[in-house]
Amino acid sequence: QVQLVESGGGVVQSGRSLRLSCAASGFTFSNYGIHWVRQAPGKGLEWVAIIYYDGHNKYYADSVEGRFTISRDNSKNTLYLQMNNLRAEDTAVYYCARDKGYCSGGTCSGGGAFDVWGQGTMVTVSS
Amino acid sequence: EIVMTQSPATLSVSPGERATLSCRASQSASSNLAWYQQKPGQAPRLLIYGASTRAAGIPARFSGSGSGTEFTLTISRLQSEDFAIYYCQQYNYWWTFGQGTKVEIK
């Protein structure tokens, strides 16, 4: 079935780095943009970043711009989030989520909402 | 940034009753509005996109309406599995979420 599975979370000291992964299965990974979304303990959802289907276009929330890097390997059906210079406020459950828009031949349609989510991976930044 | 404001923060409803959740955008989101349901310890689940289109497998008791800056999610007859937190999200200009409405048992 269509599935996203995150991994790589853990406890890390402030200022250090961590890389998250998101493995996709059950659909053609290279036809979809994928987002990272995070949720601090007891808080709401915050969009973090998106990488489009071909990996060429990437965008970030202001809160992580310059510290986080999103990437993907379509040959491995895997998404990544490299997180550098981590701060206490980055502590959250990190979800990968598929953008609903289907992309083919350089054209995407029907996108924007997040129709498939992983189970999340917890990142704790200690000071 | 488009700021999304949901009301109320908490809604107490009896099973079988109707629940009406509101979401307001600080500027027009057109019809690029989604609703998600999240239960404790679980990932969010897409309920509604395009302001009023139910996602695959979502029961007909869930309906969405609105456009521009005012949106509503209605759950016509609450069932036990519907008690959860609901988030609206605009995707007209980047992506932002509301702070959530918790639907609890009255």
Side-chain angles (χ1 to χ4, degrees), chain B residues 17-94:
Chain B
E17 290 188 342
R18 172 189 296 254
T20 302
L21 288 66
S22 296
C23 176
R24 174 175 292 177
S26 61
Q27 59 192 83
S28 179
S30 187
S31 293
N32 296 316
L33 192 286
W35 289 94
Y36 300 86
Q37 177 194 68
Q38 188 178 34
K39 297 179 180 179
Q42 295 185 18
R45 177 177 70 145
L46 177 65
L47 298 175
I48 301 285
Y49 64 93
S52 60
T53 303
R54 278 189 303 278
I58 301 304
R61 64 181 181 274
F62 291 92
S63 63
S65 63
S67 65
T69 62
E70 300 285 342
F71 302 90
T72 301
L73 175 70
T74 302
I75 312 170
S76 59
R77 288 174 298 279
L78 272 160
Q79 299 190 5
S80 58
E81 62 264 33
D82 300 334
F83 292 96
I85 298 175
Y86 293 82
Y87 294 96
C88 63
Q89 175 210 38
Q90 68 81 23
Y91 50 93
N92 194 55
Y93 181 72
W94 304 110

Side-chain angles (χ1 to χ4, degrees), chain A residues 35 37 39 43-47 50 52 59-60 62 95 99-100 110-120, chain B residues 1 32-34 36 38 41-46 48-50 55 87 89-91 94-100:
Chain A
H35 302 261
V37 178
Q39 186 170 36
K43 302 298 184 182
L45 301 166
E46 179 188 14
W47 174 76
I50 182 178
Y52 283 93
Y59 300 96
Y60 302 90
D62 289 345
Y95 297 100
D99 191 285
K100 192 177 178 303
F114 303 172
D115 65 343
V116 180
W117 294 67
Q119 85 289 349
Chain B
E1 176 185 334
N32 296 316
L33 192 286
Y36 300 86
Q38 188 178 34
Q42 295 185 18
R45 177 177 70 145
L46 177 65
I48 301 285
Y49 64 93
Y87 294 96
Q89 175 210 38
Q90 68 81 23
Y91 50 93
W94 304 110
W95 297 268
T96 50
F97 293 89
Q99 81 280 16

Side-chain angles (χ1 to χ4, degrees), chain A residues 3-127:
Chain A
Q3 195 172 8
L4 296 170
V5 178
E6 302 93 338
S7 61
V11 180
V12 61
Q13 285 187 322
S14 179
R16 304 298 290 265
S17 299
L18 201 62
R19 189 178 84 155
L20 306 182
S21 299
C22 169
S25 59
F27 65 98
T28 304
F29 184 66
S30 58
N31 285 135
Y32 292 89
I34 309 288
H35 302 261
W36 286 102
V37 178
R38 68 185 181 182
Q39 186 170 36
K43 302 298 184 182
L45 301 166
E46 179 188 14
W47 174 76
V48 173
I50 182 178
I51 185 166
Y52 283 93
Y53 67 104
D54 58 2
H56 292 327
N57 294 303
K58 313 170 186 181
Y59 300 96
Y60 302 90
D62 289 345
S63 57
V64 306
E65 178 85 57
R67 299 187 299 122
F68 289 11
T69 301
I70 190 171
S71 62
R72 65 191 295 162
D73 185 337
N74 284 348
S75 68
K76 295 182 178 179
N77 292 340
T78 303
L79 172 78
Y80 303 99
L81 185 67
Q82 177 67 42
M83 304 185 294
N84 297 332
N85 190 21
L86 282 160
R87 306 166 179 168
E89 55 265 35
D90 296 319
T91 293
V93 174
Y94 284 74
Y95 297 100
C96 54
R98 189 180 79 171
D99 191 285
K100 192 177 178 303
Y102 179 81
C103 303
S104 178
T107 301
C108 300
S109 63
F114 303 172
D115 65 343
V116 180
W117 294 67
Q119 85 289 349
T121 188
M122 181 71 202
V123 173
T124 302
V125 182
S126 64
S127 53

